[in-house]
């Protein structure tokens, strides 16, 4: 049988994406990611915390002001992992495209 391609996760939206922030409920940092691999599962982490199972979109709240790093990887049904994708962003500042 043909071998399927390995998983390949992509971050398609992050706090660095130009957008109008929604201040309802306080600051939140949203990450949207996809993998076209059937049955792929996701694992996320923020800063130096451990990877944990997650889903898209992943939303984080109550982050300390300053620099943070979000990372995500996907794993297919055979246990193969994708390359880790990451976004560095700054919490507590006006984001690109905001109207403050």
């Amino acid at each position: 049988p043909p071998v399927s391609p390995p998983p390949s996760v992509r971050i398609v939206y992050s706090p660095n994406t130009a957008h109008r922030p929604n201040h309802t409920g306080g600051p939140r940092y949203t990450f949207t990611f996809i993998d076209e691999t059937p049955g792929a599962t996701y694992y996320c982490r923020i800063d130096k915390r451990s990877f944990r199972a997650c889903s898209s979109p992943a939303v984080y709240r109550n982050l300390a002001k300053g620099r943070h790093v979000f990372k995500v990887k996907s794993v297919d049904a055979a246990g193969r992992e994708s390359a880790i994708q990451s976004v560095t962003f700054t919490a507590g500042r006006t984001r690109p495209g905001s109207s403050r």
Side-chain angles (χ1 to χ4, degrees):
V3 176
S4 61
S8 177
V9 68
R10 289 186 301 125
I11 297 172
V12 295
Y13 181 85
S14 77
N16 294 339
T17 305
H19 65 285
R20 283 173 118 29
N22 180 348
H23 299 292
T24 305
R28 61 182 176 250
Y29 303 91
T30 302
F31 302 86
T32 305
F33 38 89
I34 59 171
D35 188 325
E36 305 287 330
T37 305
T41 56
Y42 302 105
Y43 294 87
C44 300
R45 78 184 230 181
I46 193 89
D47 301 325
K48 297 187 186 278
R49 297 177 192 164
S50 299
F51 276 100
R52 293 183 180 204
C54 63
S55 59
S56 181
V59 179
Y60 294 88
R61 297 179 190 273
N62 302 318
L63 296 177
K65 288 184 179 184
R67 183 179 172 271
H68 295 277
V69 179
F70 168 81
K71 293 185 178 184
V72 63
K73 64 182 177 179
S74 58
V75 179
D76 68 9
R80 298 180 299 172
E81 292 186 8
S82 70
I84 295 171
Q85 299 298 307
S86 66
V87 172
T88 300
F89 66 100
T90 303
R93 70 173 173 84
T94 301
R95 292 180 211 108
S98 68
S99 57
R100 276 201 208 181

